[in-house]
Amino acid sequence: MESAGLSSTDQKLIRESWQKVSGSPLEHGIVLFTRLFDLEPELLPLFQYNCKKFSTPEECLSSPEFLEHIRKVMLVIDAAVTHLENLHRLEEYLANLGKKHQAVGVKVESFSTVGESLLYMLEKCHGPAFNLNVREAWTKLYGAVVKAMSCGWDVLRKVE
Ligand code: HEM
């Protein structure tokens, strides 16, 4: 995960495009998760707070606990953007985060849908400025984050 193959231009494009998003993370995170539930509604029941399942995405998206999860997701992405040059520092944290997600029933494959939803949110935010180069830079970064998180799943699989 050293540099995730990110050139200095990739890093610059990611930092610049994240600036606008990080100014209002919750608002953009809601766009991301709304898209995620559109693409993969099966993920909705995985979010349960006090053993209560949500019956609609709208109900989920207006719960304070879920909004906290959105903030947490945006903070992880923010940390990745901050550590573009030394992503390996996040490896252990991300592997642990992967483990926690496996424990709550998330399949590693669902993280591809999260990636699509992330790109969707970035495109909504930037419009045509979100060109192919910016998209590719983000795809590399997100791929590196998922790769690090998937180590958490792999470790558990070996123990099973
Ligand atoms: C497939 C989509 C996802 C599902 C279904 C999911 C589900 C969950 C659930 C049920 C929890 C525990 C309850 C909570 O803290 O709200 C959790 C915690 C968390 N999630 Fe997710 N999550 C998803 C994606 C992500 C992504 C993409 C990130 C960041 C890159 C992330 C970051 C976190 C963090 C930081 C926590 C708190 C972990 C802790 O307590 O130490 N999640 N997630």
Side-chain angles (χ1 to χ4, degrees), residues 33 36-37 43 46-49 65-66 68-69 72-74 76-77 93-94 97 100-101 104 106-107 110-111 114 142 145 149:
F33 273 90
L36 182 67
F37 290 139
L43 292 174
L46 298 182
F47 291 100
Q48 292 179 31
Y49 300 100
E65 292 92 344
F66 183 74
E68 254 333 287
H69 181 266
K72 293 176 199 170
V73 173
M74 299 305 271
V76 175
I77 303 173
Y93 171 78
L94 291 173
L97 194 57
K100 288 184 184 170
H101 283 81
V104 294
V106 183
K107 296 215 163 44
S110 296
F111 275 84
V114 177
Y142 182 75
V145 169
M149 282 179 82

PDB file of all heavy atoms in Angstrom, residues 33 36-37 43 46-49 65-66 68-69 72-74 76-77 93-94 97 100-101 104 106-107 110-111 114 142 145 149, ligand 1:
ATOM      1  N   PHE A  33     -24.299   7.769   0.589  1.00  0.00           N
ATOM      2  CA  PHE A  33     -25.065   6.638   1.127  1.00  0.00           C
ATOM      3  C   PHE A  33     -26.449   6.494   0.488  1.00  0.00           C
ATOM      4  O   PHE A  33     -26.974   5.388   0.391  1.00  0.00           O
ATOM      5  CB  PHE A  33     -25.133   6.703   2.658  1.00  0.00           C
ATOM      6  CG  PHE A  33     -23.936   6.018   3.282  1.00  0.00           C
ATOM      7  CD1 PHE A  33     -22.784   6.738   3.561  1.00  0.00           C
ATOM      8  CD2 PHE A  33     -23.940   4.660   3.529  1.00  0.00           C
ATOM      9  CE1 PHE A  33     -21.656   6.110   4.085  1.00  0.00           C
ATOM     10  CE2 PHE A  33     -22.826   4.021   4.060  1.00  0.00           C
ATOM     11  CZ  PHE A  33     -21.684   4.747   4.345  1.00  0.00           C
ATOM     12  N   LEU A  36     -25.664   4.555  -2.407  1.00  0.00           N
ATOM     13  CA  LEU A  36     -25.321   3.181  -2.011  1.00  0.00           C
ATOM     14  C   LEU A  36     -26.588   2.341  -1.796  1.00  0.00           C
ATOM     15  O   LEU A  36     -26.677   1.208  -2.271  1.00  0.00           O
ATOM     16  CB  LEU A  36     -24.455   3.202  -0.743  1.00  0.00           C
ATOM     17  CG  LEU A  36     -23.978   1.838  -0.249  1.00  0.00           C
ATOM     18  CD1 LEU A  36     -23.002   1.199  -1.229  1.00  0.00           C
ATOM     19  CD2 LEU A  36     -23.303   1.962   1.131  1.00  0.00           C
ATOM     20  N   PHE A  37     -27.564   2.916  -1.095  1.00  0.00           N
ATOM     21  CA  PHE A  37     -28.801   2.159  -0.853  1.00  0.00           C
ATOM     22  C   PHE A  37     -29.607   1.968  -2.134  1.00  0.00           C
ATOM     23  O   PHE A  37     -30.341   0.989  -2.267  1.00  0.00           O
ATOM     24  CB  PHE A  37     -29.653   2.829   0.232  1.00  0.00           C
ATOM     25  CG  PHE A  37     -29.036   2.729   1.613  1.00  0.00           C
ATOM     26  CD1 PHE A  37     -29.055   3.807   2.484  1.00  0.00           C
ATOM     27  CD2 PHE A  37     -28.440   1.549   2.038  1.00  0.00           C
ATOM     28  CE1 PHE A  37     -28.497   3.715   3.757  1.00  0.00           C
ATOM     29  CE2 PHE A  37     -27.874   1.439   3.313  1.00  0.00           C
ATOM     30  CZ  PHE A  37     -27.907   2.534   4.171  1.00  0.00           C
ATOM     31  N   LEU A  43     -27.977  -3.701   1.836  1.00  0.00           N
ATOM     32  CA  LEU A  43     -27.069  -3.248   2.906  1.00  0.00           C
ATOM     33  C   LEU A  43     -27.830  -2.589   4.062  1.00  0.00           C
ATOM     34  O   LEU A  43     -27.315  -2.502   5.172  1.00  0.00           O
ATOM     35  CB  LEU A  43     -26.027  -2.264   2.349  1.00  0.00           C
ATOM     36  CG  LEU A  43     -24.998  -2.869   1.384  1.00  0.00           C
ATOM     37  CD1 LEU A  43     -24.126  -1.782   0.786  1.00  0.00           C
ATOM     38  CD2 LEU A  43     -24.131  -3.903   2.098  1.00  0.00           C
ATOM     39  N   LEU A  46     -28.076  -4.114   7.577  1.00  0.00           N
ATOM     40  CA  LEU A  46     -26.825  -4.270   8.344  1.00  0.00           C
ATOM     41  C   LEU A  46     -26.656  -3.139   9.351  1.00  0.00           C
ATOM     42  O   LEU A  46     -25.904  -3.255  10.312  1.00  0.00           O
ATOM     43  CB  LEU A  46     -25.619  -4.328   7.406  1.00  0.00           C
ATOM     44  CG  LEU A  46     -25.589  -5.488   6.410  1.00  0.00           C
ATOM     45  CD1 LEU A  46     -24.322  -5.444   5.590  1.00  0.00           C
ATOM     46  CD2 LEU A  46     -25.675  -6.821   7.149  1.00  0.00           C
ATOM     47  N   PHE A  47     -27.351  -2.048   9.107  1.00  0.00           N
ATOM     48  CA  PHE A  47     -27.278  -0.939  10.064  1.00  0.00           C
ATOM     49  C   PHE A  47     -28.385  -1.101  11.085  1.00  0.00           C
ATOM     50  O   PHE A  47     -29.566  -1.006  10.751  1.00  0.00           O
ATOM     51  CB  PHE A  47     -27.415   0.410   9.345  1.00  0.00           C
ATOM     52  CG  PHE A  47     -26.221   0.728   8.496  1.00  0.00           C
ATOM     53  CD1 PHE A  47     -26.247   0.513   7.131  1.00  0.00           C
ATOM     54  CD2 PHE A  47     -25.055   1.212   9.072  1.00  0.00           C
ATOM     55  CE1 PHE A  47     -25.140   0.779   6.343  1.00  0.00           C
ATOM     56  CE2 PHE A  47     -23.936   1.487   8.301  1.00  0.00           C
ATOM     57  CZ  PHE A  47     -23.975   1.272   6.931  1.00  0.00           C
ATOM     58  N   GLN A  48     -27.999  -1.450  12.302  1.00  0.00           N
ATOM     59  CA  GLN A  48     -28.977  -1.615  13.377  1.00  0.00           C
ATOM     60  C   GLN A  48     -28.431  -0.923  14.603  1.00  0.00           C
ATOM     61  O   GLN A  48     -27.292  -1.157  14.977  1.00  0.00           O
ATOM     62  CB  GLN A  48     -29.146  -3.096  13.712  1.00  0.00           C
ATOM     63  CG  GLN A  48     -29.804  -3.889  12.631  1.00  0.00           C
ATOM     64  CD  GLN A  48     -29.910  -5.356  13.007  1.00  0.00           C
ATOM     65  OE1 GLN A  48     -30.043  -5.711  14.174  1.00  0.00           O
ATOM     66  NE2 GLN A  48     -29.844  -6.210  12.010  1.00  0.00           N
ATOM     67  N   TYR A  49     -29.236  -0.103  15.179  1.00  0.00           N
ATOM     68  CA  TYR A  49     -28.818   0.548  16.418  1.00  0.00           C
ATOM     69  C   TYR A  49     -29.855   0.195  17.477  1.00  0.00           C
ATOM     70  O   TYR A  49     -31.056   0.263  17.203  1.00  0.00           O
ATOM     71  CB  TYR A  49     -28.679   2.056  16.190  1.00  0.00           C
ATOM     72  CG  TYR A  49     -27.640   2.353  15.105  1.00  0.00           C
ATOM     73  CD1 TYR A  49     -28.022   2.643  13.803  1.00  0.00           C
ATOM     74  CD2 TYR A  49     -26.273   2.253  15.393  1.00  0.00           C
ATOM     75  CE1 TYR A  49     -27.064   2.873  12.814  1.00  0.00           C
ATOM     76  CE2 TYR A  49     -25.316   2.472  14.402  1.00  0.00           C
ATOM     77  CZ  TYR A  49     -25.719   2.779  13.119  1.00  0.00           C
ATOM     78  OH  TYR A  49     -24.776   2.988  12.139  1.00  0.00           O
ATOM     79  N   GLU A  65     -27.641   7.991  14.775  1.00  0.00           N
ATOM     80  CA  GLU A  65     -26.544   7.007  14.821  1.00  0.00           C
ATOM     81  C   GLU A  65     -25.984   6.761  13.433  1.00  0.00           C
ATOM     82  O   GLU A  65     -24.779   6.636  13.247  1.00  0.00           O
ATOM     83  CB  GLU A  65     -27.032   5.666  15.392  1.00  0.00           C
ATOM     84  CG  GLU A  65     -27.418   5.692  16.855  1.00  0.00           C
ATOM     85  CD  GLU A  65     -28.898   5.986  17.056  1.00  0.00           C
ATOM     86  OE1 GLU A  65     -29.553   6.456  16.090  1.00  0.00           O
ATOM     87  OE2 GLU A  65     -29.385   5.745  18.174  1.00  0.00           O
ATOM     88  N   PHE A  66     -26.884   6.708  12.443  1.00  0.00           N
ATOM     89  CA  PHE A  66     -26.412   6.461  11.083  1.00  0.00           C
ATOM     90  C   PHE A  66     -25.640   7.677  10.559  1.00  0.00           C
ATOM     91  O   PHE A  66     -24.622   7.532   9.878  1.00  0.00           O
ATOM     92  CB  PHE A  66     -27.575   6.104  10.152  1.00  0.00           C
ATOM     93  CG  PHE A  66     -27.097   5.786   8.769  1.00  0.00           C
ATOM     94  CD1 PHE A  66     -26.458   4.579   8.509  1.00  0.00           C
ATOM     95  CD2 PHE A  66     -27.232   6.699   7.735  1.00  0.00           C
ATOM     96  CE1 PHE A  66     -25.963   4.284   7.240  1.00  0.00           C
ATOM     97  CE2 PHE A  66     -26.745   6.410   6.460  1.00  0.00           C
ATOM     98  CZ  PHE A  66     -26.113   5.206   6.220  1.00  0.00           C
ATOM     99  N   GLU A  68     -23.909   9.545  12.284  1.00  0.00           N
ATOM    100  CA  GLU A  68     -22.572   9.426  12.912  1.00  0.00           C
ATOM    101  C   GLU A  68     -21.695   8.487  12.072  1.00  0.00           C
ATOM    102  O   GLU A  68     -20.513   8.729  11.875  1.00  0.00           O
ATOM    103  CB  GLU A  68     -22.701   8.844  14.324  1.00  0.00           C
ATOM    104  CG  GLU A  68     -22.510   9.790  15.480  1.00  0.00           C
ATOM    105  CD  GLU A  68     -21.621  10.993  15.214  1.00  0.00           C
ATOM    106  OE1 GLU A  68     -20.389  10.818  15.114  1.00  0.00           O
ATOM    107  OE2 GLU A  68     -22.138  12.121  15.107  1.00  0.00           O
ATOM    108  N   HIS A  69     -22.296   7.385  11.578  1.00  0.00           N
ATOM    109  CA  HIS A  69     -21.525   6.456  10.736  1.00  0.00           C
ATOM    110  C   HIS A  69     -21.038   7.177   9.474  1.00  0.00           C
ATOM    111  O   HIS A  69     -19.901   7.001   9.049  1.00  0.00           O
ATOM    112  CB  HIS A  69     -22.336   5.207  10.370  1.00  0.00           C
ATOM    113  CG  HIS A  69     -21.562   4.236   9.525  1.00  0.00           C
ATOM    114  ND1 HIS A  69     -21.631   4.235   8.157  1.00  0.00           N
ATOM    115  CD2 HIS A  69     -20.636   3.289   9.855  1.00  0.00           C
ATOM    116  CE1 HIS A  69     -20.806   3.309   7.684  1.00  0.00           C
ATOM    117  NE2 HIS A  69     -20.190   2.719   8.697  1.00  0.00           N
ATOM    118  N   LYS A  72     -18.104   9.089  10.327  1.00  0.00           N
ATOM    119  CA  LYS A  72     -16.941   8.207  10.517  1.00  0.00           C
ATOM    120  C   LYS A  72     -16.332   7.836   9.163  1.00  0.00           C
ATOM    121  O   LYS A  72     -15.114   7.847   8.994  1.00  0.00           O
ATOM    122  CB  LYS A  72     -17.346   6.917  11.256  1.00  0.00           C
ATOM    123  CG  LYS A  72     -17.773   7.125  12.702  1.00  0.00           C
ATOM    124  CD  LYS A  72     -18.259   5.798  13.307  1.00  0.00           C
ATOM    125  CE  LYS A  72     -19.110   6.006  14.539  1.00  0.00           C
ATOM    126  NZ  LYS A  72     -19.770   4.776  14.997  1.00  0.00           N
ATOM    127  N   VAL A  73     -17.189   7.505   8.199  1.00  0.00           N
ATOM    128  CA  VAL A  73     -16.712   7.122   6.859  1.00  0.00           C
ATOM    129  C   VAL A  73     -15.929   8.296   6.243  1.00  0.00           C
ATOM    130  O   VAL A  73     -14.826   8.120   5.711  1.00  0.00           O
ATOM    131  CB  VAL A  73     -17.901   6.735   5.940  1.00  0.00           C
ATOM    132  CG1 VAL A  73     -17.439   6.507   4.509  1.00  0.00           C
ATOM    133  CG2 VAL A  73     -18.602   5.495   6.475  1.00  0.00           C
ATOM    134  N   MET A  74     -16.516   9.477   6.356  1.00  0.00           N
ATOM    135  CA  MET A  74     -15.880  10.643   5.744  1.00  0.00           C
ATOM    136  C   MET A  74     -14.540  10.950   6.429  1.00  0.00           C
ATOM    137  O   MET A  74     -13.593  11.392   5.785  1.00  0.00           O
ATOM    138  CB  MET A  74     -16.810  11.859   5.805  1.00  0.00           C
ATOM    139  CG  MET A  74     -18.117  11.659   5.054  1.00  0.00           C
ATOM    140  SD  MET A  74     -17.926  11.190   3.315  1.00  0.00           S
ATOM    141  CE  MET A  74     -17.850  12.782   2.522  1.00  0.00           C
ATOM    142  N   VAL A  76     -12.522   8.666   7.687  1.00  0.00           N
ATOM    143  CA  VAL A  76     -11.544   7.683   7.205  1.00  0.00           C
ATOM    144  C   VAL A  76     -11.003   8.127   5.838  1.00  0.00           C
ATOM    145  O   VAL A  76      -9.797   8.095   5.583  1.00  0.00           O
ATOM    146  CB  VAL A  76     -12.156   6.263   7.120  1.00  0.00           C
ATOM    147  CG1 VAL A  76     -11.165   5.288   6.510  1.00  0.00           C
ATOM    148  CG2 VAL A  76     -12.579   5.773   8.505  1.00  0.00           C
ATOM    149  N   ILE A  77     -11.911   8.588   4.972  1.00  0.00           N
ATOM    150  CA  ILE A  77     -11.462   9.048   3.648  1.00  0.00           C
ATOM    151  C   ILE A  77     -10.556  10.276   3.824  1.00  0.00           C
ATOM    152  O   ILE A  77      -9.510  10.398   3.177  1.00  0.00           O
ATOM    153  CB  ILE A  77     -12.657   9.371   2.722  1.00  0.00           C
ATOM    154  CG1 ILE A  77     -13.556   8.138   2.585  1.00  0.00           C
ATOM    155  CG2 ILE A  77     -12.168   9.844   1.346  1.00  0.00           C
ATOM    156  CD1 ILE A  77     -14.850   8.375   1.831  1.00  0.00           C
ATOM    157  N   TYR A  93      -4.811   0.137  11.061  1.00  0.00           N
ATOM    158  CA  TYR A  93      -6.131   0.669  11.398  1.00  0.00           C
ATOM    159  C   TYR A  93      -7.183   0.147  10.416  1.00  0.00           C
ATOM    160  O   TYR A  93      -8.262  -0.313  10.809  1.00  0.00           O
ATOM    161  CB  TYR A  93      -6.098   2.205  11.389  1.00  0.00           C
ATOM    162  CG  TYR A  93      -7.476   2.806  11.507  1.00  0.00           C
ATOM    163  CD1 TYR A  93      -8.112   2.857  12.746  1.00  0.00           C
ATOM    164  CD2 TYR A  93      -8.169   3.269  10.387  1.00  0.00           C
ATOM    165  CE1 TYR A  93      -9.405   3.368  12.861  1.00  0.00           C
ATOM    166  CE2 TYR A  93      -9.449   3.776  10.490  1.00  0.00           C
ATOM    167  CZ  TYR A  93     -10.059   3.828  11.728  1.00  0.00           C
ATOM    168  OH  TYR A  93     -11.339   4.322  11.835  1.00  0.00           O
ATOM    169  N   LEU A  94      -6.848   0.175   9.117  1.00  0.00           N
ATOM    170  CA  LEU A  94      -7.813  -0.234   8.094  1.00  0.00           C
ATOM    171  C   LEU A  94      -8.097  -1.735   8.143  1.00  0.00           C
ATOM    172  O   LEU A  94      -9.235  -2.164   7.936  1.00  0.00           O
ATOM    173  CB  LEU A  94      -7.330   0.190   6.698  1.00  0.00           C
ATOM    174  CG  LEU A  94      -7.335   1.711   6.443  1.00  0.00           C
ATOM    175  CD1 LEU A  94      -6.695   2.043   5.103  1.00  0.00           C
ATOM    176  CD2 LEU A  94      -8.754   2.284   6.498  1.00  0.00           C
ATOM    177  N   LEU A  97     -10.490  -2.189  10.830  1.00  0.00           N
ATOM    178  CA  LEU A  97     -11.792  -1.683  10.404  1.00  0.00           C
ATOM    179  C   LEU A  97     -12.475  -2.726   9.517  1.00  0.00           C
ATOM    180  O   LEU A  97     -13.681  -2.947   9.608  1.00  0.00           O
ATOM    181  CB  LEU A  97     -11.591  -0.360   9.647  1.00  0.00           C
ATOM    182  CG  LEU A  97     -12.826   0.503   9.401  1.00  0.00           C
ATOM    183  CD1 LEU A  97     -13.527   0.848  10.708  1.00  0.00           C
ATOM    184  CD2 LEU A  97     -12.442   1.783   8.657  1.00  0.00           C
ATOM    185  N   LYS A 100     -13.938  -5.376  11.731  1.00  0.00           N
ATOM    186  CA  LYS A 100     -15.187  -4.931  12.372  1.00  0.00           C
ATOM    187  C   LYS A 100     -16.350  -5.021  11.393  1.00  0.00           C
ATOM    188  O   LYS A 100     -17.464  -5.355  11.772  1.00  0.00           O
ATOM    189  CB  LYS A 100     -15.052  -3.495  12.870  1.00  0.00           C
ATOM    190  CG  LYS A 100     -14.161  -3.401  14.088  1.00  0.00           C
ATOM    191  CD  LYS A 100     -14.094  -2.004  14.662  1.00  0.00           C
ATOM    192  CE  LYS A 100     -13.102  -1.990  15.820  1.00  0.00           C
ATOM    193  NZ  LYS A 100     -12.783  -0.650  16.292  1.00  0.00           N
ATOM    194  N   HIS A 101     -16.086  -4.715  10.127  1.00  0.00           N
ATOM    195  CA  HIS A 101     -17.165  -4.772   9.137  1.00  0.00           C
ATOM    196  C   HIS A 101     -17.542  -6.207   8.808  1.00  0.00           C
ATOM    197  O   HIS A 101     -18.706  -6.513   8.576  1.00  0.00           O
ATOM    198  CB  HIS A 101     -16.809  -3.945   7.897  1.00  0.00           C
ATOM    199  CG  HIS A 101     -16.987  -2.483   8.151  1.00  0.00           C
ATOM    200  ND1 HIS A 101     -16.032  -1.723   8.809  1.00  0.00           N
ATOM    201  CD2 HIS A 101     -18.031  -1.658   7.918  1.00  0.00           C
ATOM    202  CE1 HIS A 101     -16.496  -0.491   8.945  1.00  0.00           C
ATOM    203  NE2 HIS A 101     -17.692  -0.418   8.408  1.00  0.00           N
ATOM    204  N   VAL A 104     -19.940  -7.319  11.450  1.00  0.00           N
ATOM    205  CA  VAL A 104     -21.334  -6.870  11.376  1.00  0.00           C
ATOM    206  C   VAL A 104     -22.031  -7.376  10.104  1.00  0.00           C
ATOM    207  O   VAL A 104     -23.147  -6.984   9.791  1.00  0.00           O
ATOM    208  CB  VAL A 104     -21.481  -5.323  11.498  1.00  0.00           C
ATOM    209  CG1 VAL A 104     -21.076  -4.843  12.871  1.00  0.00           C
ATOM    210  CG2 VAL A 104     -20.702  -4.590  10.415  1.00  0.00           C
ATOM    211  N   VAL A 106     -20.827  -7.372   6.761  1.00  0.00           N
ATOM    212  CA  VAL A 106     -20.556  -6.757   5.453  1.00  0.00           C
ATOM    213  C   VAL A 106     -19.660  -7.699   4.642  1.00  0.00           C
ATOM    214  O   VAL A 106     -18.705  -8.267   5.174  1.00  0.00           O
ATOM    215  CB  VAL A 106     -19.850  -5.380   5.622  1.00  0.00           C
ATOM    216  CG1 VAL A 106     -19.652  -4.716   4.268  1.00  0.00           C
ATOM    217  CG2 VAL A 106     -20.639  -4.459   6.543  1.00  0.00           C
ATOM    218  N   LYS A 107     -20.003  -7.872   3.359  1.00  0.00           N
ATOM    219  CA  LYS A 107     -19.153  -8.673   2.471  1.00  0.00           C
ATOM    220  C   LYS A 107     -18.153  -7.734   1.809  1.00  0.00           C
ATOM    221  O   LYS A 107     -18.521  -6.610   1.441  1.00  0.00           O
ATOM    222  CB  LYS A 107     -19.992  -9.340   1.385  1.00  0.00           C
ATOM    223  CG  LYS A 107     -20.994 -10.333   1.941  1.00  0.00           C
ATOM    224  CD  LYS A 107     -21.154 -11.501   0.974  1.00  0.00           C
ATOM    225  CE  LYS A 107     -21.798 -12.708   1.609  1.00  0.00           C
ATOM    226  NZ  LYS A 107     -22.949 -12.452   2.452  1.00  0.00           N
ATOM    227  N   SER A 110     -19.130  -5.750  -1.231  1.00  0.00           N
ATOM    228  CA  SER A 110     -19.996  -4.565  -1.145  1.00  0.00           C
ATOM    229  C   SER A 110     -19.178  -3.283  -1.157  1.00  0.00           C
ATOM    230  O   SER A 110     -19.699  -2.204  -1.437  1.00  0.00           O
ATOM    231  CB  SER A 110     -20.850  -4.607   0.122  1.00  0.00           C
ATOM    232  OG  SER A 110     -21.715  -5.707   0.060  1.00  0.00           O
ATOM    233  N   PHE A 111     -17.908  -3.410  -0.847  1.00  0.00           N
ATOM    234  CA  PHE A 111     -17.068  -2.214  -0.852  1.00  0.00           C
ATOM    235  C   PHE A 111     -16.834  -1.683  -2.269  1.00  0.00           C
ATOM    236  O   PHE A 111     -16.475  -0.525  -2.431  1.00  0.00           O
ATOM    237  CB  PHE A 111     -15.772  -2.447  -0.072  1.00  0.00           C
ATOM    238  CG  PHE A 111     -15.976  -2.202   1.392  1.00  0.00           C
ATOM    239  CD1 PHE A 111     -16.484  -3.186   2.219  1.00  0.00           C
ATOM    240  CD2 PHE A 111     -15.735  -0.948   1.940  1.00  0.00           C
ATOM    241  CE1 PHE A 111     -16.736  -2.956   3.560  1.00  0.00           C
ATOM    242  CE2 PHE A 111     -15.979  -0.701   3.283  1.00  0.00           C
ATOM    243  CZ  PHE A 111     -16.481  -1.707   4.097  1.00  0.00           C
ATOM    244  N   VAL A 114     -19.609   0.685  -2.621  1.00  0.00           N
ATOM    245  CA  VAL A 114     -19.287   1.921  -1.892  1.00  0.00           C
ATOM    246  C   VAL A 114     -18.380   2.787  -2.777  1.00  0.00           C
ATOM    247  O   VAL A 114     -18.556   4.003  -2.870  1.00  0.00           O
ATOM    248  CB  VAL A 114     -18.586   1.621  -0.541  1.00  0.00           C
ATOM    249  CG1 VAL A 114     -18.204   2.906   0.172  1.00  0.00           C
ATOM    250  CG2 VAL A 114     -19.465   0.766   0.363  1.00  0.00           C
ATOM    251  N   TYR A 142      -9.052   4.755  -3.528  1.00  0.00           N
ATOM    252  CA  TYR A 142     -10.086   3.943  -2.895  1.00  0.00           C
ATOM    253  C   TYR A 142      -9.714   2.454  -2.951  1.00  0.00           C
ATOM    254  O   TYR A 142      -9.904   1.714  -1.984  1.00  0.00           O
ATOM    255  CB  TYR A 142     -11.456   4.206  -3.553  1.00  0.00           C
ATOM    256  CG  TYR A 142     -12.541   3.422  -2.880  1.00  0.00           C
ATOM    257  CD1 TYR A 142     -13.023   3.813  -1.626  1.00  0.00           C
ATOM    258  CD2 TYR A 142     -13.051   2.260  -3.443  1.00  0.00           C
ATOM    259  CE1 TYR A 142     -13.992   3.068  -0.971  1.00  0.00           C
ATOM    260  CE2 TYR A 142     -14.018   1.512  -2.798  1.00  0.00           C
ATOM    261  CZ  TYR A 142     -14.490   1.925  -1.560  1.00  0.00           C
ATOM    262  OH  TYR A 142     -15.430   1.173  -0.906  1.00  0.00           O
ATOM    263  N   VAL A 145      -7.417   1.673  -0.170  1.00  0.00           N
ATOM    264  CA  VAL A 145      -8.099   1.625   1.133  1.00  0.00           C
ATOM    265  C   VAL A 145      -8.823   0.275   1.281  1.00  0.00           C
ATOM    266  O   VAL A 145      -8.716  -0.391   2.308  1.00  0.00           O
ATOM    267  CB  VAL A 145      -9.089   2.821   1.278  1.00  0.00           C
ATOM    268  CG1 VAL A 145      -9.989   2.653   2.488  1.00  0.00           C
ATOM    269  CG2 VAL A 145      -8.320   4.136   1.356  1.00  0.00           C
ATOM    270  N   MET A 149      -8.332  -2.740   3.961  1.00  0.00           N
ATOM    271  CA  MET A 149      -9.437  -3.212   4.806  1.00  0.00           C
ATOM    272  C   MET A 149      -9.661  -4.701   4.596  1.00  0.00           C
ATOM    273  O   MET A 149      -9.985  -5.431   5.535  1.00  0.00           O
ATOM    274  CB  MET A 149     -10.725  -2.443   4.485  1.00  0.00           C
ATOM    275  CG  MET A 149     -10.761  -1.058   5.092  1.00  0.00           C
ATOM    276  SD  MET A 149     -12.274  -0.157   4.689  1.00  0.00           S
ATOM    277  CE  MET A 149     -13.419  -0.796   5.903  1.00  0.00           C
TER     278      MET A 149
HETATM  279  C1  HEM B   1     -20.841  -1.560   2.879  1.00  0.00           C
HETATM  280  C2  HEM B   1     -21.034  -0.434   3.533  1.00  0.00           C
HETATM  281  C3  HEM B   1     -20.904  -0.312   5.024  1.00  0.00           C
HETATM  282  C4  HEM B   1     -21.676  -0.886   5.985  1.00  0.00           C
HETATM  283  C5  HEM B   1     -22.909  -1.768   5.786  1.00  0.00           C
HETATM  284  C6  HEM B   1     -21.125  -0.476   7.260  1.00  0.00           C
HETATM  285  C7  HEM B   1     -21.634  -0.837   8.493  1.00  0.00           C
HETATM  286  C8  HEM B   1     -21.106  -0.468   9.701  1.00  0.00           C
HETATM  287  C9  HEM B   1     -21.673  -0.796  10.985  1.00  0.00           C
HETATM  288  C10 HEM B   1     -22.978  -1.597  11.183  1.00  0.00           C
HETATM  289  C11 HEM B   1     -20.869  -0.284  11.944  1.00  0.00           C
HETATM  290  C12 HEM B   1     -21.068  -0.359  13.472  1.00  0.00           C
HETATM  291  C13 HEM B   1     -22.041   0.674  13.931  1.00  0.00           C
HETATM  292  C14 HEM B   1     -21.566   2.098  13.774  1.00  0.00           C
HETATM  293  O1  HEM B   1     -20.445   2.436  14.232  1.00  0.00           O
HETATM  294  O2  HEM B   1     -22.313   2.905  13.177  1.00  0.00           O
HETATM  295  C15 HEM B   1     -19.789   0.398  11.274  1.00  0.00           C
HETATM  296  C16 HEM B   1     -18.765   1.074  11.900  1.00  0.00           C
HETATM  297  C17 HEM B   1     -17.816   1.828  11.270  1.00  0.00           C
HETATM  298  N1  HEM B   1     -17.688   2.002   9.920  1.00  0.00           N
HETATM  299 FE1  HEM B   1     -18.850   1.174   8.481  1.00  0.00          FE
HETATM  300  N2  HEM B   1     -20.036   0.323   7.046  1.00  0.00           N
HETATM  301  C18 HEM B   1     -19.857   0.448   5.692  1.00  0.00           C
HETATM  302  C19 HEM B   1     -18.878   1.143   5.054  1.00  0.00           C
HETATM  303  C20 HEM B   1     -17.864   1.847   5.683  1.00  0.00           C
HETATM  304  C21 HEM B   1     -16.776   2.535   5.002  1.00  0.00           C
HETATM  305  C22 HEM B   1     -16.586   2.601   3.486  1.00  0.00           C
HETATM  306  C23 HEM B   1     -15.998   3.098   5.962  1.00  0.00           C
HETATM  307  C24 HEM B   1     -14.749   3.913   5.805  1.00  0.00           C
HETATM  308  C25 HEM B   1     -13.952   3.851   4.774  1.00  0.00           C
HETATM  309  C26 HEM B   1     -16.588   2.777   7.252  1.00  0.00           C
HETATM  310  C27 HEM B   1     -16.116   3.214   8.469  1.00  0.00           C
HETATM  311  C28 HEM B   1     -16.602   2.828   9.684  1.00  0.00           C
HETATM  312  C29 HEM B   1     -16.020   3.229  10.963  1.00  0.00           C
HETATM  313  C30 HEM B   1     -14.817   4.140  11.162  1.00  0.00           C
HETATM  314  C31 HEM B   1     -16.777   2.593  11.943  1.00  0.00           C
HETATM  315  C32 HEM B   1     -16.549   2.663  13.454  1.00  0.00           C
HETATM  316  C33 HEM B   1     -15.640   1.512  13.846  1.00  0.00           C
HETATM  317  C34 HEM B   1     -15.331   1.503  15.339  1.00  0.00           C
HETATM  318  O3  HEM B   1     -16.269   1.523  16.135  1.00  0.00           O
HETATM  319  O4  HEM B   1     -14.131   1.444  15.662  1.00  0.00           O
HETATM  320  N3  HEM B   1     -17.709   2.013   7.041  1.00  0.00           N
HETATM  321  N4  HEM B   1     -19.949   0.270   9.914  1.00  0.00           N
END
